[in-house]
Amino acid sequence: SNPALKLNAGDILLVCNAGGATTEIGLLELFDSTPMQPSLRQVAAVVGVGNGSMNIDQSFQKLVQRKLDLYGSDAQIANHQDFAMKLARSRAFQSIKHSFGTDVEDIPEYRIALDNLGLGITRDFCQPALRIDKGRMMFSR
């Protein structure tokens, strides 16, 4: 029981499970508000929507791939078919994704380091057409 949250019989709760591939939403009604053992009943069926965090990764990967397809690529990137996938799975991108919208990550431009992707890209690598400067690929908010 959480004393900061007072629930009464008849209250409706919105339950959201935002997972990796889907987000499920359901409505539950509190019909017995006994503090240590409340009873709930389902009001509406759980609905799953395909918009989990994996979709964000896939969309980012497609964005990077479109940039590569549109602007071509440098020799350091051309030999790596999995560049976009590795960038989407990188710690740097995952960190940005997990804190996106917070005060910490509310910045106009994100710079993702490429030298730690295991692709042999160095910190001095530049490719203006792809917005890569000093080994970091830039993305506007």
Side-chain angles (χ1 to χ4, degrees), residues 8-45:
N8 299 307
D11 286 351
I12 303 291
L13 305 171
L14 171 68
V15 179
C16 176
N17 176 12
T22 61
T23 298
E24 291 88 24
I25 297 173
L27 292 176
L28 302 171
E29 179 181 7
L30 183 68
F31 68 88
D32 179 356
S33 59
T34 304
M36 297 308 288
Q37 202 168 19
S39 297
L40 303 165
R41 98 174 110 230
Q42 188 172 336
V43 174

PDB file of all heavy atoms in Angstrom, residues 8-45:
ATOM      1  N   ASN A   8     -10.008   4.694  -3.979  1.00  0.00           N
ATOM      2  CA  ASN A   8     -11.327   4.348  -3.459  1.00  0.00           C
ATOM      3  C   ASN A   8     -12.017   3.373  -4.398  1.00  0.00           C
ATOM      4  O   ASN A   8     -11.726   3.348  -5.606  1.00  0.00           O
ATOM      5  CB  ASN A   8     -12.198   5.609  -3.335  1.00  0.00           C
ATOM      6  CG  ASN A   8     -11.589   6.614  -2.384  1.00  0.00           C
ATOM      7  OD1 ASN A   8     -11.265   6.290  -1.254  1.00  0.00           O
ATOM      8  ND2 ASN A   8     -11.407   7.839  -2.859  1.00  0.00           N
ATOM      9  N   ALA A   9     -12.931   2.583  -3.856  1.00  0.00           N
ATOM     10  CA  ALA A   9     -13.721   1.680  -4.685  1.00  0.00           C
ATOM     11  C   ALA A   9     -14.389   2.493  -5.787  1.00  0.00           C
ATOM     12  O   ALA A   9     -14.873   3.594  -5.564  1.00  0.00           O
ATOM     13  CB  ALA A   9     -14.761   0.957  -3.836  1.00  0.00           C
ATOM     14  N   GLY A  10     -14.339   1.953  -6.999  1.00  0.00           N
ATOM     15  CA  GLY A  10     -14.922   2.639  -8.151  1.00  0.00           C
ATOM     16  C   GLY A  10     -13.892   3.425  -8.962  1.00  0.00           C
ATOM     17  O   GLY A  10     -14.170   3.825 -10.090  1.00  0.00           O
ATOM     18  N   ASP A  11     -12.693   3.652  -8.408  1.00  0.00           N
ATOM     19  CA  ASP A  11     -11.640   4.346  -9.162  1.00  0.00           C
ATOM     20  C   ASP A  11     -11.196   3.480 -10.341  1.00  0.00           C
ATOM     21  O   ASP A  11     -11.166   2.251 -10.255  1.00  0.00           O
ATOM     22  CB  ASP A  11     -10.422   4.639  -8.280  1.00  0.00           C
ATOM     23  CG  ASP A  11     -10.667   5.772  -7.292  1.00  0.00           C
ATOM     24  OD1 ASP A  11     -11.706   6.449  -7.392  1.00  0.00           O
ATOM     25  OD2 ASP A  11      -9.796   5.972  -6.413  1.00  0.00           O
ATOM     26  N   ILE A  12     -10.880   4.128 -11.426  1.00  0.00           N
ATOM     27  CA  ILE A  12     -10.400   3.450 -12.630  1.00  0.00           C
ATOM     28  C   ILE A  12      -8.904   3.727 -12.767  1.00  0.00           C
ATOM     29  O   ILE A  12      -8.461   4.869 -12.660  1.00  0.00           O
ATOM     30  CB  ILE A  12     -11.127   3.953 -13.900  1.00  0.00           C
ATOM     31  CG1 ILE A  12     -12.648   3.781 -13.767  1.00  0.00           C
ATOM     32  CG2 ILE A  12     -10.594   3.271 -15.146  1.00  0.00           C
ATOM     33  CD1 ILE A  12     -13.122   2.353 -13.780  1.00  0.00           C
ATOM     34  N   LEU A  13      -8.136   2.669 -13.016  1.00  0.00           N
ATOM     35  CA  LEU A  13      -6.694   2.787 -13.187  1.00  0.00           C
ATOM     36  C   LEU A  13      -6.322   2.491 -14.635  1.00  0.00           C
ATOM     37  O   LEU A  13      -6.815   1.523 -15.217  1.00  0.00           O
ATOM     38  CB  LEU A  13      -5.963   1.794 -12.277  1.00  0.00           C
ATOM     39  CG  LEU A  13      -6.286   1.861 -10.793  1.00  0.00           C
ATOM     40  CD1 LEU A  13      -5.646   0.686 -10.066  1.00  0.00           C
ATOM     41  CD2 LEU A  13      -5.799   3.171 -10.215  1.00  0.00           C
ATOM     42  N   LEU A  14      -5.466   3.316 -15.179  1.00  0.00           N
ATOM     43  CA  LEU A  14      -4.911   3.077 -16.498  1.00  0.00           C
ATOM     44  C   LEU A  14      -3.559   2.414 -16.280  1.00  0.00           C
ATOM     45  O   LEU A  14      -2.697   2.949 -15.593  1.00  0.00           O
ATOM     46  CB  LEU A  14      -4.726   4.391 -17.267  1.00  0.00           C
ATOM     47  CG  LEU A  14      -3.964   4.301 -18.586  1.00  0.00           C
ATOM     48  CD1 LEU A  14      -4.779   3.531 -19.617  1.00  0.00           C
ATOM     49  CD2 LEU A  14      -3.660   5.697 -19.102  1.00  0.00           C
ATOM     50  N   VAL A  15      -3.383   1.227 -16.852  1.00  0.00           N
ATOM     51  CA  VAL A  15      -2.142   0.481 -16.704  1.00  0.00           C
ATOM     52  C   VAL A  15      -1.457   0.443 -18.061  1.00  0.00           C
ATOM     53  O   VAL A  15      -2.079   0.092 -19.066  1.00  0.00           O
ATOM     54  CB  VAL A  15      -2.411  -0.954 -16.199  1.00  0.00           C
ATOM     55  CG1 VAL A  15      -1.106  -1.734 -16.081  1.00  0.00           C
ATOM     56  CG2 VAL A  15      -3.148  -0.918 -14.875  1.00  0.00           C
ATOM     57  N   CYS A  16      -0.176   0.821 -18.075  1.00  0.00           N
ATOM     58  CA  CYS A  16       0.575   0.861 -19.318  1.00  0.00           C
ATOM     59  C   CYS A  16       1.861   0.056 -19.155  1.00  0.00           C
ATOM     60  O   CYS A  16       2.626   0.279 -18.221  1.00  0.00           O
ATOM     61  CB  CYS A  16       0.903   2.310 -19.673  1.00  0.00           C
ATOM     62  SG  CYS A  16       1.939   2.470 -21.138  1.00  0.00           S
ATOM     63  N   ASN A  17       2.083  -0.877 -20.046  1.00  0.00           N
ATOM     64  CA  ASN A  17       3.321  -1.657 -20.070  1.00  0.00           C
ATOM     65  C   ASN A  17       4.026  -1.311 -21.382  1.00  0.00           C
ATOM     66  O   ASN A  17       3.675  -1.819 -22.432  1.00  0.00           O
ATOM     67  CB  ASN A  17       3.020  -3.151 -19.984  1.00  0.00           C
ATOM     68  CG  ASN A  17       4.278  -3.986 -20.113  1.00  0.00           C
ATOM     69  OD1 ASN A  17       5.394  -3.487 -20.052  1.00  0.00           O
ATOM     70  ND2 ASN A  17       4.093  -5.287 -20.291  1.00  0.00           N
ATOM     71  N   ALA A  18       5.009  -0.412 -21.294  1.00  0.00           N
ATOM     72  CA  ALA A  18       5.764  -0.009 -22.480  1.00  0.00           C
ATOM     73  C   ALA A  18       6.985  -0.904 -22.584  1.00  0.00           C
ATOM     74  O   ALA A  18       7.964  -0.716 -21.874  1.00  0.00           O
ATOM     75  CB  ALA A  18       6.156   1.461 -22.384  1.00  0.00           C
ATOM     76  N   GLY A  19       6.901  -1.902 -23.439  1.00  0.00           N
ATOM     77  CA  GLY A  19       7.974  -2.876 -23.562  1.00  0.00           C
ATOM     78  C   GLY A  19       8.874  -2.618 -24.753  1.00  0.00           C
ATOM     79  O   GLY A  19       8.893  -1.533 -25.327  1.00  0.00           O
ATOM     80  N   GLY A  20       9.616  -3.636 -25.137  1.00  0.00           N
ATOM     81  CA  GLY A  20      10.577  -3.506 -26.215  1.00  0.00           C
ATOM     82  C   GLY A  20       9.950  -3.424 -27.589  1.00  0.00           C
ATOM     83  O   GLY A  20      10.386  -2.655 -28.432  1.00  0.00           O
ATOM     84  N   ALA A  21       8.921  -4.224 -27.844  1.00  0.00           N
ATOM     85  CA  ALA A  21       8.320  -4.242 -29.175  1.00  0.00           C
ATOM     86  C   ALA A  21       6.908  -3.676 -29.196  1.00  0.00           C
ATOM     87  O   ALA A  21       6.453  -3.184 -30.220  1.00  0.00           O
ATOM     88  CB  ALA A  21       8.302  -5.670 -29.722  1.00  0.00           C
ATOM     89  N   THR A  22       6.218  -3.763 -28.073  1.00  0.00           N
ATOM     90  CA  THR A  22       4.835  -3.282 -28.031  1.00  0.00           C
ATOM     91  C   THR A  22       4.584  -2.482 -26.762  1.00  0.00           C
ATOM     92  O   THR A  22       5.350  -2.524 -25.818  1.00  0.00           O
ATOM     93  CB  THR A  22       3.826  -4.451 -28.053  1.00  0.00           C
ATOM     94  OG1 THR A  22       4.037  -5.257 -26.907  1.00  0.00           O
ATOM     95  CG2 THR A  22       3.950  -5.280 -29.318  1.00  0.00           C
ATOM     96  N   THR A  23       3.472  -1.778 -26.791  1.00  0.00           N
ATOM     97  CA  THR A  23       2.983  -1.083 -25.604  1.00  0.00           C
ATOM     98  C   THR A  23       1.558  -1.565 -25.386  1.00  0.00           C
ATOM     99  O   THR A  23       0.734  -1.492 -26.289  1.00  0.00           O
ATOM    100  CB  THR A  23       3.012   0.444 -25.810  1.00  0.00           C
ATOM    101  OG1 THR A  23       4.367   0.835 -26.026  1.00  0.00           O
ATOM    102  CG2 THR A  23       2.461   1.179 -24.606  1.00  0.00           C
ATOM    103  N   GLU A  24       1.293  -2.106 -24.190  1.00  0.00           N
ATOM    104  CA  GLU A  24      -0.046  -2.585 -23.864  1.00  0.00           C
ATOM    105  C   GLU A  24      -0.687  -1.625 -22.879  1.00  0.00           C
ATOM    106  O   GLU A  24      -0.042  -1.154 -21.954  1.00  0.00           O
ATOM    107  CB  GLU A  24      -0.006  -3.985 -23.246  1.00  0.00           C
ATOM    108  CG  GLU A  24       0.410  -5.091 -24.201  1.00  0.00           C
ATOM    109  CD  GLU A  24       1.908  -5.280 -24.258  1.00  0.00           C
ATOM    110  OE1 GLU A  24       2.615  -4.928 -23.302  1.00  0.00           O
ATOM    111  OE2 GLU A  24       2.375  -5.777 -25.286  1.00  0.00           O
ATOM    112  N   ILE A  25      -1.972  -1.360 -23.132  1.00  0.00           N
ATOM    113  CA  ILE A  25      -2.724  -0.448 -22.279  1.00  0.00           C
ATOM    114  C   ILE A  25      -4.007  -1.146 -21.848  1.00  0.00           C
ATOM    115  O   ILE A  25      -4.678  -1.776 -22.657  1.00  0.00           O
ATOM    116  CB  ILE A  25      -3.065   0.857 -23.037  1.00  0.00           C
ATOM    117  CG1 ILE A  25      -1.773   1.578 -23.411  1.00  0.00           C
ATOM    118  CG2 ILE A  25      -3.962   1.752 -22.208  1.00  0.00           C
ATOM    119  CD1 ILE A  25      -1.967   2.781 -24.287  1.00  0.00           C
ATOM    120  N   GLY A  26      -4.339  -1.053 -20.558  1.00  0.00           N
ATOM    121  CA  GLY A  26      -5.556  -1.653 -20.046  1.00  0.00           C
ATOM    122  C   GLY A  26      -6.189  -0.760 -18.996  1.00  0.00           C
ATOM    123  O   GLY A  26      -5.530   0.098 -18.404  1.00  0.00           O
ATOM    124  N   LEU A  27      -7.470  -0.941 -18.781  1.00  0.00           N
ATOM    125  CA  LEU A  27      -8.201  -0.205 -17.746  1.00  0.00           C
ATOM    126  C   LEU A  27      -8.692  -1.187 -16.694  1.00  0.00           C
ATOM    127  O   LEU A  27      -9.272  -2.225 -17.022  1.00  0.00           O
ATOM    128  CB  LEU A  27      -9.402   0.537 -18.344  1.00  0.00           C
ATOM    129  CG  LEU A  27      -9.086   1.699 -19.263  1.00  0.00           C
ATOM    130  CD1 LEU A  27     -10.376   2.271 -19.854  1.00  0.00           C
ATOM    131  CD2 LEU A  27      -8.338   2.786 -18.525  1.00  0.00           C
ATOM    132  N   LEU A  28      -8.461  -0.847 -15.428  1.00  0.00           N
ATOM    133  CA  LEU A  28      -8.886  -1.681 -14.314  1.00  0.00           C
ATOM    134  C   LEU A  28      -9.703  -0.833 -13.342  1.00  0.00           C
ATOM    135  O   LEU A  28      -9.391   0.334 -13.117  1.00  0.00           O
ATOM    136  CB  LEU A  28      -7.673  -2.251 -13.578  1.00  0.00           C
ATOM    137  CG  LEU A  28      -6.702  -3.093 -14.393  1.00  0.00           C
ATOM    138  CD1 LEU A  28      -5.453  -3.399 -13.580  1.00  0.00           C
ATOM    139  CD2 LEU A  28      -7.363  -4.380 -14.849  1.00  0.00           C
ATOM    140  N   GLU A  29     -10.740  -1.440 -12.779  1.00  0.00           N
ATOM    141  CA  GLU A  29     -11.558  -0.754 -11.778  1.00  0.00           C
ATOM    142  C   GLU A  29     -11.255  -1.351 -10.409  1.00  0.00           C
ATOM    143  O   GLU A  29     -11.190  -2.568 -10.245  1.00  0.00           O
ATOM    144  CB  GLU A  29     -13.033  -0.916 -12.090  1.00  0.00           C
ATOM    145  CG  GLU A  29     -13.929  -0.246 -11.068  1.00  0.00           C
ATOM    146  CD  GLU A  29     -15.410  -0.428 -11.360  1.00  0.00           C
ATOM    147  OE1 GLU A  29     -15.759  -1.181 -12.279  1.00  0.00           O
ATOM    148  OE2 GLU A  29     -16.211   0.183 -10.638  1.00  0.00           O
ATOM    149  N   LEU A  30     -11.067  -0.486  -9.445  1.00  0.00           N
ATOM    150  CA  LEU A  30     -10.850  -0.918  -8.067  1.00  0.00           C
ATOM    151  C   LEU A  30     -12.223  -1.155  -7.448  1.00  0.00           C
ATOM    152  O   LEU A  30     -13.015  -0.236  -7.313  1.00  0.00           O
ATOM    153  CB  LEU A  30     -10.086   0.166  -7.299  1.00  0.00           C
ATOM    154  CG  LEU A  30      -9.725  -0.152  -5.862  1.00  0.00           C
ATOM    155  CD1 LEU A  30      -8.678  -1.255  -5.812  1.00  0.00           C
ATOM    156  CD2 LEU A  30      -9.211   1.093  -5.182  1.00  0.00           C
ATOM    157  N   PHE A  31     -12.543  -2.418  -7.118  1.00  0.00           N
ATOM    158  CA  PHE A  31     -13.856  -2.654  -6.515  1.00  0.00           C
ATOM    159  C   PHE A  31     -13.772  -2.982  -5.042  1.00  0.00           C
ATOM    160  O   PHE A  31     -14.771  -2.990  -4.341  1.00  0.00           O
ATOM    161  CB  PHE A  31     -14.673  -3.696  -7.287  1.00  0.00           C
ATOM    162  CG  PHE A  31     -14.168  -5.090  -7.243  1.00  0.00           C
ATOM    163  CD1 PHE A  31     -14.551  -5.960  -6.239  1.00  0.00           C
ATOM    164  CD2 PHE A  31     -13.321  -5.568  -8.238  1.00  0.00           C
ATOM    165  CE1 PHE A  31     -14.099  -7.257  -6.217  1.00  0.00           C
ATOM    166  CE2 PHE A  31     -12.876  -6.864  -8.215  1.00  0.00           C
ATOM    167  CZ  PHE A  31     -13.255  -7.713  -7.210  1.00  0.00           C
ATOM    168  N   ASP A  32     -12.569  -3.205  -4.524  1.00  0.00           N
ATOM    169  CA  ASP A  32     -12.381  -3.364  -3.084  1.00  0.00           C
ATOM    170  C   ASP A  32     -11.062  -2.690  -2.745  1.00  0.00           C
ATOM    171  O   ASP A  32     -10.009  -3.102  -3.206  1.00  0.00           O
ATOM    172  CB  ASP A  32     -12.345  -4.843  -2.703  1.00  0.00           C
ATOM    173  CG  ASP A  32     -12.136  -5.060  -1.205  1.00  0.00           C
ATOM    174  OD1 ASP A  32     -11.944  -4.068  -0.474  1.00  0.00           O
ATOM    175  OD2 ASP A  32     -12.158  -6.227  -0.770  1.00  0.00           O
ATOM    176  N   SER A  33     -11.119  -1.627  -1.975  1.00  0.00           N
ATOM    177  CA  SER A  33      -9.918  -0.828  -1.712  1.00  0.00           C
ATOM    178  C   SER A  33      -9.227  -1.188  -0.404  1.00  0.00           C
ATOM    179  O   SER A  33      -8.568  -0.360   0.203  1.00  0.00           O
ATOM    180  CB  SER A  33     -10.265   0.659  -1.737  1.00  0.00           C
ATOM    181  OG  SER A  33     -11.245   0.952  -0.765  1.00  0.00           O
ATOM    182  N   THR A  34      -9.356  -2.443   0.026  1.00  0.00           N
ATOM    183  CA  THR A  34      -8.638  -2.888   1.217  1.00  0.00           C
ATOM    184  C   THR A  34      -7.151  -2.599   1.007  1.00  0.00           C
ATOM    185  O   THR A  34      -6.570  -3.067   0.028  1.00  0.00           O
ATOM    186  CB  THR A  34      -8.854  -4.401   1.452  1.00  0.00           C
ATOM    187  OG1 THR A  34     -10.249  -4.652   1.524  1.00  0.00           O
ATOM    188  CG2 THR A  34      -8.163  -4.864   2.714  1.00  0.00           C
ATOM    189  N   PRO A  35      -6.534  -1.816   1.901  1.00  0.00           N
ATOM    190  CA  PRO A  35      -5.161  -1.345   1.665  1.00  0.00           C
ATOM    191  C   PRO A  35      -4.135  -2.426   1.353  1.00  0.00           C
ATOM    192  O   PRO A  35      -3.338  -2.270   0.460  1.00  0.00           O
ATOM    193  CB  PRO A  35      -4.796  -0.619   2.961  1.00  0.00           C
ATOM    194  CG  PRO A  35      -6.103  -0.193   3.535  1.00  0.00           C
ATOM    195  CD  PRO A  35      -7.076  -1.266   3.149  1.00  0.00           C
ATOM    196  N   MET A  36      -4.129  -3.509   2.075  1.00  0.00           N
ATOM    197  CA  MET A  36      -3.097  -4.527   1.868  1.00  0.00           C
ATOM    198  C   MET A  36      -3.448  -5.530   0.773  1.00  0.00           C
ATOM    199  O   MET A  36      -2.584  -6.243   0.297  1.00  0.00           O
ATOM    200  CB  MET A  36      -2.809  -5.276   3.184  1.00  0.00           C
ATOM    201  CG  MET A  36      -2.239  -4.379   4.280  1.00  0.00           C
ATOM    202  SD  MET A  36      -0.791  -3.423   3.760  1.00  0.00           S
ATOM    203  CE  MET A  36       0.427  -4.699   3.671  1.00  0.00           C
ATOM    204  N   GLN A  37      -4.715  -5.578   0.362  1.00  0.00           N
ATOM    205  CA  GLN A  37      -5.104  -6.541  -0.649  1.00  0.00           C
ATOM    206  C   GLN A  37      -6.266  -5.997  -1.482  1.00  0.00           C
ATOM    207  O   GLN A  37      -7.384  -6.495  -1.405  1.00  0.00           O
ATOM    208  CB  GLN A  37      -5.486  -7.859   0.011  1.00  0.00           C
ATOM    209  CG  GLN A  37      -5.390  -9.021  -0.914  1.00  0.00           C
ATOM    210  CD  GLN A  37      -5.495 -10.325  -0.136  1.00  0.00           C
ATOM    211  OE1 GLN A  37      -5.973 -10.367   0.997  1.00  0.00           O
ATOM    212  NE2 GLN A  37      -5.061 -11.394  -0.745  1.00  0.00           N
ATOM    213  N   PRO A  38      -5.998  -4.956  -2.295  1.00  0.00           N
ATOM    214  CA  PRO A  38      -7.082  -4.397  -3.108  1.00  0.00           C
ATOM    215  C   PRO A  38      -7.501  -5.387  -4.197  1.00  0.00           C
ATOM    216  O   PRO A  38      -6.726  -6.242  -4.607  1.00  0.00           O
ATOM    217  CB  PRO A  38      -6.440  -3.148  -3.715  1.00  0.00           C
ATOM    218  CG  PRO A  38      -4.979  -3.412  -3.695  1.00  0.00           C
ATOM    219  CD  PRO A  38      -4.727  -4.300  -2.513  1.00  0.00           C
ATOM    220  N   SER A  39      -8.744  -5.273  -4.616  1.00  0.00           N
ATOM    221  CA  SER A  39      -9.258  -6.138  -5.682  1.00  0.00           C
ATOM    222  C   SER A  39      -9.580  -5.284  -6.897  1.00  0.00           C
ATOM    223  O   SER A  39     -10.178  -4.216  -6.791  1.00  0.00           O
ATOM    224  CB  SER A  39     -10.517  -6.857  -5.214  1.00  0.00           C
ATOM    225  OG  SER A  39     -10.210  -7.706  -4.125  1.00  0.00           O
ATOM    226  N   LEU A  40      -9.169  -5.795  -8.054  1.00  0.00           N
ATOM    227  CA  LEU A  40      -9.358  -5.076  -9.311  1.00  0.00           C
ATOM    228  C   LEU A  40     -10.140  -5.939 -10.279  1.00  0.00           C
ATOM    229  O   LEU A  40     -10.079  -7.162 -10.233  1.00  0.00           O
ATOM    230  CB  LEU A  40      -7.995  -4.735  -9.932  1.00  0.00           C
ATOM    231  CG  LEU A  40      -7.039  -3.913  -9.070  1.00  0.00           C
ATOM    232  CD1 LEU A  40      -5.639  -3.968  -9.655  1.00  0.00           C
ATOM    233  CD2 LEU A  40      -7.521  -2.482  -8.971  1.00  0.00           C
ATOM    234  N   ARG A  41     -10.860  -5.287 -11.185  1.00  0.00           N
ATOM    235  CA  ARG A  41     -11.517  -6.031 -12.264  1.00  0.00           C
ATOM    236  C   ARG A  41     -11.245  -5.288 -13.565  1.00  0.00           C
ATOM    237  O   ARG A  41     -11.188  -4.057 -13.599  1.00  0.00           O
ATOM    238  CB  ARG A  41     -12.989  -6.227 -11.967  1.00  0.00           C
ATOM    239  CG  ARG A  41     -13.928  -5.268 -12.601  1.00  0.00           C
ATOM    240  CD  ARG A  41     -15.397  -5.621 -12.361  1.00  0.00           C
ATOM    241  NE  ARG A  41     -15.947  -4.626 -11.448  1.00  0.00           N
ATOM    242  CZ  ARG A  41     -16.621  -4.897 -10.359  1.00  0.00           C
ATOM    243  NH1 ARG A  41     -16.878  -6.117 -10.003  1.00  0.00           N
ATOM    244  NH2 ARG A  41     -17.064  -3.919  -9.602  1.00  0.00           N
ATOM    245  N   GLN A  42     -11.061  -6.065 -14.604  1.00  0.00           N
ATOM    246  CA  GLN A  42     -10.744  -5.498 -15.912  1.00  0.00           C
ATOM    247  C   GLN A  42     -11.965  -4.796 -16.485  1.00  0.00           C
ATOM    248  O   GLN A  42     -13.056  -5.351 -16.523  1.00  0.00           O
ATOM    249  CB  GLN A  42     -10.285  -6.611 -16.852  1.00  0.00           C
ATOM    250  CG  GLN A  42      -9.764  -6.119 -18.168  1.00  0.00           C
ATOM    251  CD  GLN A  42      -9.147  -7.258 -18.983  1.00  0.00           C
ATOM    252  OE1 GLN A  42      -8.727  -8.268 -18.448  1.00  0.00           O
ATOM    253  NE2 GLN A  42      -9.111  -7.068 -20.275  1.00  0.00           N
ATOM    254  N   VAL A  43     -11.781  -3.548 -16.913  1.00  0.00           N
ATOM    255  CA  VAL A  43     -12.870  -2.764 -17.492  1.00  0.00           C
ATOM    256  C   VAL A  43     -12.828  -2.856 -19.009  1.00  0.00           C
ATOM    257  O   VAL A  43     -13.851  -2.966 -19.667  1.00  0.00           O
ATOM    258  CB  VAL A  43     -12.768  -1.281 -17.054  1.00  0.00           C
ATOM    259  CG1 VAL A  43     -13.797  -0.428 -17.759  1.00  0.00           C
ATOM    260  CG2 VAL A  43     -12.918  -1.173 -15.550  1.00  0.00           C
ATOM    261  N   ALA A  44     -11.638  -2.784 -19.563  1.00  0.00           N
ATOM    262  CA  ALA A  44     -11.468  -2.854 -21.012  1.00  0.00           C
ATOM    263  C   ALA A  44     -10.338  -3.825 -21.321  1.00  0.00           C
ATOM    264  O   ALA A  44      -9.393  -3.973 -20.545  1.00  0.00           O
ATOM    265  CB  ALA A  44     -11.147  -1.471 -21.575  1.00  0.00           C
ATOM    266  N   ALA A  45     -10.449  -4.493 -22.453  1.00  0.00           N
ATOM    267  CA  ALA A  45      -9.429  -5.466 -22.857  1.00  0.00           C
ATOM    268  C   ALA A  45      -8.088  -4.775 -23.047  1.00  0.00           C
ATOM    269  O   ALA A  45      -8.020  -3.610 -23.450  1.00  0.00           O
ATOM    270  CB  ALA A  45      -9.852  -6.145 -24.146  1.00  0.00           C
TER     271      ALA A  45
END
